[in-house]
Amino acid sequence: MTLAVALVLLIGLGVGSLFLPMPYLVAAPGAIVNTTGDLEGEPVIEIEGSDTYEHDDGSLSMVTVQYAGGPDHRLNFFTVVTSWLSPRDAVLPEELLFPADRTPEEVTERQSVQMNDSQTEATAAALDQLGTDYEAVPVVAEAVEGMPAEGLVEPDDVVLEVDGEPVPTHTQDAASVGSPAVVEMVADREPGEPVTVLLDRDGEEVEVELETEAGEDGSAAVGVLVADDMDFPVDVDITVGQIGGPSAGMMFSLGIMDRLSEDGITGGAEVAGSGTITADGEVGGVSGIPQKMVSAQQIGAEYFFIASDSCSQVSQSAAYGEVDVVAVDTLDEAVDALETIDSGSDDLPRCE
């Protein structure tokens, strides 16, 4: 009798443990949006202020990762183990997406901000690639605590000059404009050397002299986070539903270019991809590439564009060997790859 009762209790505990909440996330192939197409009957990318074009062949799809779990929706042990055994999914520690010092609401808000910022950066990069001029005014977001600018530079200050040299804000004939230009101009000295910055503060010019320190990369810095107030000659509206994060930036840029190009840029190819974008066209690596490759395979994409920083994830995908992965580090390289595909050549940059 004792053995029978113990066995029943053991089985009960074993079954019950399968449904215990676990602090893990499951990453699975997520939503797919063709940036050159429609979503719920409306164009994903709408542009006003310029002639736009729609093309019947080819696609430029952003692919995403769908996460299950989180502090408010813990997964049970059975679900975690089942997902761990699935070649399509990945099991991740919960803190990778939900750090202990942030609430789920703060994480969601941050992803929304990243999505909005990526759309602005994507527009800037696309217009720059097309040779269209725009204005980028560098505005102080915040001064870093403990750095020289703290207490001297205020949020919403507009940076006008660095050491008497005007900060370029128009893209025409300028290697860099706005915030990247400010960073380069400050870094153009040895750490410890002073720099004088002219600011526009609520309509009044304020001149401040700041000491510099060595930043994370060893170059001179003053501890000011600068964002750009963009003034584009066209209005670009991108609608992708509840998707957040910055990883669709590259595909947004390519989609904008396709809308503004009479002949299109896909060459009729079905292309998917994932990578961040900066205003100057740098493509950055993202996570979730194994699951995104599965999504690309599911929609029949011929090519999958990623940053070379993401290449280390490719072999982990269930779609490895099934999708032609192209590695690009700039928007210019992505456009070159599309032109190569259109020419019929197979000479594409691929992950090593």
Side-chain angles (χ1 to χ4, degrees):
M1 179 65 72
T2 301
L3 289 173
V5 171
L7 183 60
V8 170
L9 289 174
L10 183 61
I11 293 173
L13 289 172
V15 172
S17 67
L18 295 178
F19 299 96
L20 289 175
M22 305 290 290
Y24 291 96
L25 302 172
V26 171
I32 305 164
V33 179
N34 177 15
T35 62
T36 65
D38 294 345
L39 182 65
E40 297 181 353
E42 297 294 331
V44 173
I45 297 177
E46 292 189 275
I47 302 175
E48 295 183 359
S50 176
D51 292 335
T52 59
Y53 308 90
E54 295 184 21
H55 310 100
D56 295 330
D57 57 348
S59 62
L60 295 164
S61 297
M62 54 171 281
V63 288
T64 67
V65 174
Q66 176 179 306
Y67 292 99
D72 295 338
H73 305 282
R74 287 269 167 84
L75 303 175
N76 58 52
F77 179 78
F78 180 77
T79 300
V80 171
V81 171
T82 302
S83 299
W84 181 69
L85 294 173
S86 169
R88 292 160 33 102
D89 301 341
V91 177
L92 309 169
E94 186 179 84
E95 59 267 20
L96 286 182
L97 188 61
F98 298 97
D101 59 346
R102 290 181 185 163
T103 66
E105 292 75 21
E106 289 174 333
V107 171
T108 299
E109 181 180 357
R110 181 170 181 267
Q111 289 179 332
S112 296
V113 170
Q114 289 176 325
M115 169 58 75
N116 292 334
D117 289 346
S118 74
Q119 294 178 3
T120 301
E121 299 284 309
T123 302
L127 294 179
D128 189 52
Q129 186 71 26
L130 293 170
T132 302
D133 192 29
Y134 65 87
E135 186 175 18
V137 178
V139 180
V140 174
E142 64 176 296
V144 179
E145 184 177 354
M147 291 292 285
E150 184 183 13
L152 298 175
V153 176
E154 299 179 1
D156 297 326
D157 284 350
V158 177
V159 184
L160 302 177
E161 298 179 359
V162 175
D163 279 342
E165 184 179 350
V167 176
T169 58
H170 287 275
T171 56
Q172 193 172 31
D173 300 326
S176 62
V177 297
S179 57
V182 172
V183 173
E184 292 175 8
M185 294 168 77
V186 171
D188 189 25
R189 70 199 71 247
E190 292 296 321
E193 294 181 2
V195 59
T196 301
V197 180
L198 181 65
L199 307 169
D200 181 335
R201 181 174 298 164
D202 296 327
E204 296 185 7
E205 291 188 354
V206 177
E207 188 175 85
V208 295
E209 183 170 324
L210 304 169
E211 296 297 324
T212 62
E213 296 182 4
E216 293 182 358
D217 61 354
S219 61
V222 295
V224 175
L225 301 181
V226 186
D228 287 319
D229 183 7
M230 302 287 197
D231 185 10
F232 299 124
V234 295
D235 292 326
V236 178
D237 183 35
I238 304 177
T239 304
V240 292
Q242 299 302 311
I243 299 172
S247 63
M250 172 177 61
M251 301 312 292
F252 286 152
S253 284
L254 293 174
I256 292 168
M257 291 181 64
D258 192 73
R259 285 285 187 191
L260 292 172
S261 301
E262 185 173 0
D263 296 329
I265 65 171
T266 68
E270 306 296 331
V271 179
S274 185
T276 63
I277 198 74
T278 63
D280 56 359
E282 296 292 325
V283 176
V286 296
S287 61
I289 293 298
Q291 289 69 47
K292 293 173 181 178
M293 285 175 60
V294 171
S295 293
Q297 180 190 26
Q298 288 175 341
I299 61 173
E302 302 167 75
Y303 303 94
F304 185 64
F305 283 24
I306 62 172
S308 60
D309 284 348
S310 298
C311 282
S312 60
Q313 304 176 53
V314 170
S315 62
Q316 304 168 28
S317 178
Y320 179 57
E322 302 296 326
V323 181
D324 196 349
V325 181
V326 178
V328 297
D329 288 321
T330 65
L331 184 60
D332 189 53
E333 290 180 7
V335 173
D336 285 346
L338 289 172
E339 291 175 350
T340 299
I341 292 170
D342 187 30
S343 72
S345 172
D346 190 50
D347 186 19
L348 293 166
R350 294 181 171 91
C351 295
E352 297 181 357

